[in-house]
Amino acid sequence: MPLFEFEGLSPTVHPDAFIAPTATLIGDVRVEAHASIWYNAVLRADLGPIIVHEGANVQDGCVLHGGDNPATEVGAGATIGHLCVVHGAVIGAGALIGNGSTVQDGARIGARCLVGAGGTVPPGVVVPDEQLVLGTVARERGPLTQSARWWVEGNPGIYQELARRHRTGVKPVVPAHDR
């Protein structure tokens, strides 16, 4: 796993977290226990800290970046789905940011929200807790549906268990011609 110091600040990773070997963490990135950072994710904390709280997961191909007001933050048990961009935004505890979504500078997503796949949350938007947010320019659409609630509540545990399996079961593959 590539970890890089930037201007004297280095990533800190709890020993119970899973960082995929192709994820890249740069600068003041803080990853708490049972969190997971997946393959080809880039967390670049060169303008301000990035904090991934306990049990959260940042999935494959994500980019997290941003400044110090606010710090880029992923709440406890939150999910940042595949290929998302979170830029200078705060994601609440247990929220799920759907695949391919973008959450822009100064946005705040409440606890246990679901931002639908491909959504864009514009700068400075504040979404209250437990809201379903859909659309190219995402807007609140009302309380979570039963299906949305299942994803918000179930996904963190699924990824925590998967991270445990990867932490103990992923090993480098030696190409046949090198054996």
Side-chain angles (χ1 to χ4, degrees):
M1 89 188 94
L3 301 176
F4 296 96
E5 177 182 308
F6 180 75
E7 297 180 344
L9 296 173
S10 297
T12 57
V13 177
H14 191 281
D16 291 333
F18 169 70
I19 310 296
T22 58
T24 303
L25 283 60
I26 304 154
D28 189 9
V29 177
R30 305 168 206 167
V31 181
E32 295 181 355
H34 309 293
S36 55
I37 312 297
W38 292 85
Y39 300 91
N40 297 321
V42 175
L43 285 68
R44 182 164 47 96
D46 50 3
L47 300 178
I50 296 172
I51 305 158
V52 180
H53 289 286
E54 185 169 354
N57 65 89
V58 177
Q59 296 178 5
D60 311 69
C62 289
V63 174
L64 277 64
H65 188 237
D68 59 357
N69 190 17
T72 300
E73 196 164 344
V74 180
T79 294
I80 309 299
H82 307 287
L83 297 173
C84 288
V85 174
V86 177
H87 199 277
V90 175
I91 309 302
L96 190 153
I97 309 303
N99 296 346
S101 294
T102 299
V103 183
Q104 297 179 329
D105 297 85
R108 293 181 177 272
I109 305 299
R112 297 171 309 283
C113 286
L114 188 147
V115 175
T120 298
V121 180
V125 167
V126 176
V127 178
D129 295 350
E130 296 193 5
Q131 296 297 303
L132 178 60
V133 183
L134 301 174
T136 303
V137 175
R139 294 187 239 26
E140 290 175 48
R141 302 294 181 162
L144 292 173
T145 63
Q146 184 176 6
S147 173
R149 187 172 302 283
W150 182 88
W151 281 103
V152 168
E153 293 173 358
N155 203 58
I158 292 167
Y159 265 86
Q160 290 168 22
E161 176 56 27
L162 190 56
R164 281 189 282 280
R165 290 173 54 202
H166 275 257
R167 198 170 39 254
T168 60
V170 171
K171 295 178 178 41
V173 174
V174 178
H177 60 78
D178 290 342
R179 290 185 205 152

